[in-house]
């Protein structure tokens, strides 16, 4: 997610990796748009800032399946 208020991946990824090891729940995806195109049947939990959620909603509304 490219936005001035977005956290840099290099900061966020180690935190997600740590949670993934502890909880076995998270799967960090760098290119979320590509991931969603390739895994259309997968359930996805999305969380983040309103800026990111807005971008995610725009993506869902504009993509064609």
């Amino acid at each position: 997610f490219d936005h001035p208020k977005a956290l840099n991946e290099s900061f966020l990824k180690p935190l997600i990796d740590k949670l993934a090891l502890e909880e076995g729940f998270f799967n960090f995806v760098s290119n979320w748009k590509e991931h969603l195109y390739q895994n259309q049947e997968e359930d996805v939990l999305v969380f983040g800032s309103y800026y990111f959620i807005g971008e995610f909603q725009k993506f869902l509304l504009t993509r064609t399946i």
Side-chain angles (χ1 to χ4, degrees):
F1 172 57
D2 186 25
H3 187 275
K5 293 189 176 183
L7 288 176
N8 187 306
E9 180 180 333
S10 64
F11 174 80
L12 189 58
K13 184 160 179 8
L15 298 175
I16 296 297
D17 288 344
K18 183 177 184 220
L19 287 172
L21 290 174
E22 291 176 3
E23 303 293 330
F25 183 75
F26 294 102
N27 179 17
F28 188 86
V29 176
S30 295
N31 188 340
W32 57 272
K33 290 180 183 180
E34 184 66 29
H35 180 81
L36 291 174
Y37 275 123
Q38 293 177 356
N39 301 286
Q40 293 183 17
E41 299 298 319
E42 183 178 69
D43 291 333
V44 177
L45 171 65
V46 177
F47 58 96
S49 68
Y50 287 127
Y51 301 102
F52 176 72
I53 300 299
E55 287 298 311
F56 188 80
Q57 286 178 319
K58 282 195 298 189
F59 169 75
L60 290 179
L61 292 172
T62 59
R63 75 180 187 154
T64 57
I65 297 176

